[in-house]
Amino acid sequence: IVAVVAALGVIGFDPLDQVGARGQPAKPKAVAAVKVATSTKTYSVTAGGLRRSYEVIAPVTALPKSAPVIVVLGGIGSSASGEAGRDDLIPYATANLAELVYPQGFGESWNAGGCCGAAAAKNVDDVAFLKALVATVDPGHARTVYVVGYSNGARMAYRIACDDPGLFDGYAMVKGGPTADCAIRKPVTLLQIAAVDDPEIPYAPGDKGIEPLPMTTLVTDLQAAEKCTDTAHVTRSGTMVQSTWPTCGNGTRLAFARSEEHTSELQSHHD
C-alpha cells in the first residue's frame, strides 16, 4: 500500500482537522471496511486558454456532505488514470468516504513556477486550471476539498499554497518541496510526507539525493515561518510516524509524516 494512504487517512488530515480542547490532535481514523459501487468519469473544463480534462472516481450514490473531495496531482510522466492506478486512494471512494479527482497535467507535467516539463516550458497556467477545476467539482465551496501532490504535483500543490492558499482546505505533499520563490503568506493546513531512505529526495542534511533541500530542513523552515513553537504531537501507524503542530502562531496547522519503510512504498518517480 502506498504510504500516502496511511498518512492521509490514518494519521494525516484527521488529527489536524480535529483538535481537542487542549490543542492536542484527535486520534487517527482508519479506512472503513464497507464497500460501495463506484464510477469513473472523464470531464473537461476550459482554463488558461486550454481545454483541460480530469477524471472523477466517486460512489455511484451521493456521498455524505461531510465526505471530502480529494484532488490528486500526479508526478511528471504520469497520466490521470495512471496516477489513480498507483496511489491506492481508491479505497476511500469505495468506502464511501471521499470523491477522488485526478486532473490531467499538460504533457503529463505541472507548471509550478519554473518547473517542470512541458507545462513549464509552455508557461501553462495550471493555477487557473486548478481554480476552474475546484469551482466545477465543488460549486460554492460547500464541501471540504483537499489536494495531494506527488513529486512535480507536490511542487504544484505548494505553488497553490503560496499563491492562492484558500483554494484548498488542506495540502499534502509527497516526495516534493516548493520552488525557491514560493513563500506561504496565509494560514494553511499542510502535511509534508517523506521517506527516510529516499534515493532522490534527501531526508536529512548529508543524505544523498538530487534535490538540494532535505525534507527535515524544509519542515524546520516551515515551522519557523509559520511560528510552530509548541512541542510536536507524535503518532505512529505501522511504518508511518507523524509529527503534528496543530496550533501554529499564525493559524497554520502543520504535520510531517515520514515512512520508515523502503521507498518503493512512496514510488520512485521524480519531478
Side-chain angles (χ1 to χ4, degrees):
I1 297 176
V2 179
V4 175
V5 174
L8 259 180
V10 180
I11 53 172
F13 286 127
D14 279 343
L16 285 169
D17 286 340
Q18 302 171 26
V19 179
R22 296 183 180 180
Q24 302 229 349
K27 291 182 179 180
K29 297 178 181 179
V31 177
V34 64
K35 286 191 176 182
V36 299
T38 62
S39 65
T40 301
K41 298 181 180 180
T42 302
Y43 302 93
S44 62
V45 63
T46 298
L50 298 171
R51 195 69 177 167
R52 307 292 296 273
S53 65
Y54 60 97
E55 289 188 5
V56 175
I57 302 174
V60 173
T61 57
L63 277 164
K65 291 183 178 179
S66 60
V69 177
I70 302 177
V71 177
V72 186
L73 309 178
I76 200 164
S78 178
S79 65
S81 59
E83 185 62 37
R86 75 175 182 172
D87 63 25
D88 212 11
L89 289 172
I90 292 177
Y92 286 93
T94 58
N96 208 41
L97 292 176
E99 175 181 324
L100 305 177
V101 178
Y102 291 87
Q104 178 65 55
F106 181 88
E108 298 183 345
S109 62
W110 301 101
N111 180 14
C115 175
C116 301
K122 297 290 186 180
N123 198 27
V124 172
D125 193 346
D126 278 322
V127 174
F129 174 32
L130 294 178
K131 286 182 178 180
L133 174 71
V134 172
T136 302
V137 299
D138 182 34
H141 198 40
R143 298 168 63 187
T144 299
V145 184
Y146 296 136
V147 63
V148 178
Y150 180 81
S151 195
N152 179 203
R155 292 184 191 273
M156 189 65 223
Y158 266 112
R159 175 54 57 189
I160 297 295
C162 293
D163 291 357
D164 191 6
L167 184 61
F168 295 104
D169 297 291
Y171 294 79
M173 289 69 156
V174 187
K175 279 180 65 75
T179 54
D181 63 340
C182 182
I184 298 173
R185 297 179 177 86
K186 292 184 179 180
V188 294
T189 296
L190 191 153
L191 169 62
Q192 178 68 53
I193 304 172
V196 297
D197 64 346
D198 194 318
E200 297 173 337
I201 311 296
Y203 176 75
D207 290 347
K208 294 181 179 180
I210 60 178
E211 285 289 319
L213 185 64
M215 290 291 98
T216 55
T217 302
L218 168 60
V219 173
T220 298
D221 291 346
L222 287 170
Q223 283 180 258
E226 304 306 309
K227 300 179 174 62
C228 305
T229 57
D230 292 341
T231 301
H233 302 291
V234 179
T235 52
R236 179 183 290 272
S237 177
T239 62
M240 294 297 296
V241 180
Q242 179 164 305
S243 300
T244 303
W245 298 267
T247 53
C248 297
N250 68 348
T252 284
R253 296 179 294 183
L254 176 66
F256 180 37
R258 55 269 190 202
S259 171
E260 297 179 342
E261 196 153 321
H262 192 272
T263 50
S264 60
E265 286 208 352
L266 285 170
Q267 308 166 32
S268 180
H269 192 91
H270 184 62
D271 279 340

